[in-house]
Amino acid sequence: MTERLFDGNMMEKEIEEKKRNLKENYREIRENIAAAAKASGRKPEDITLLAATKTVPAEVINYGISLGIDYLGENKVQEFLSKYDEYDKKRCHLQFIGHLQTNKVKQIVGKVELIQSVDSVKLAREIAKCSQRLGIVTNVLVEVNIGGEENKSGVKPEEAKALLREISQIQGILVKGLMAIPPICEKNSEIRRYFAAMRKLFIDIRGENIDNITMDILSMGMSSDYMEAIEEGATMVRVGSSLFGARSYPVK
């Protein structure tokens, strides 16, 4: 089924329904996060819930912010820019979580607190160059292709340390951790295996004590598997459809 793209013209009735559902969904997800955190020996506040807001209108997003959803992640540069001026930016933290082309880096550097999808030295250098022009340091995560899938971006797990060491020498950028999107798995044990592998890589790199690298964030887990991700060590989960409902927003 083709996904209908966000255009900002959702009918008021549908907007209000989305808000009602969001309030209940958010409550349930917070309860699930608390349970998963407890199962992993941590506190709920140790886990950051990042709302994946692809196709979600700014009005619905701002309602979510009023409920306490304060970390937002956008996937597409064009959509992010179309909503940027409407966000309640005083009460939220904006991040970019999608694949980022080097020719679009300058459009988001300075507007987001964290870029989650760095997978090459070339991209890191472009982010750093744009950051230095603005006199800032941009926080990033290195994306790991933990399943070795050809159709996905991300550095190979066995090459992650070498990439991190190279990025650590670049001024204007600071690596704060790792991000991964594991393959779709039919069995719970399979997805847990990928999450566990990411946790091990995360801990191994932290133990290297590489300059300009701080392993604070392990971003993994989405709507279908965020509880398993937390139980396996995630510090941040990216939840979209479980919060906002199916992505079926109208096109102009």
Side-chain angles (χ1 to χ4, degrees), residues 13 16 42-43 48 66 95 115 233 236 242:
K13 184 177 180 180
E16 292 306 312
R42 292 177 291 167
K43 300 176 182 178
T48 299
S66 75
Q95 301 187 8
I115 296 172
M236 177 182 286
S242 290

Side-chain angles (χ1 to χ4, degrees), residues 33-100:
I33 287 174
K38 183 178 180 180
S40 67
R42 292 177 291 167
K43 300 176 182 178
E45 54 266 31
D46 294 333
I47 313 300
T48 299
L49 168 62
L50 183 139
T53 52
K54 179 181 178 182
T55 77
V56 182
E59 183 178 348
V60 176
I61 295 170
N62 285 334
Y63 177 70
I65 293 172
S66 75
L67 297 176
I69 300 172
D70 51 357
Y71 283 81
L72 311 176
E74 282 286 358
N75 290 74
K76 303 291 185 181
V77 172
Q78 185 175 355
E79 183 181 345
F80 169 75
L81 294 174
S82 74
K83 293 187 279 188
Y84 181 74
D85 289 336
E86 299 181 66
Y87 291 124
D88 185 355
K89 291 187 282 291
K90 292 183 179 179
R91 295 198 289 172
C92 70
H93 305 271
L94 299 177
Q95 301 187 8
F96 189 79
I97 60 178
H99 178 67
L100 181 59

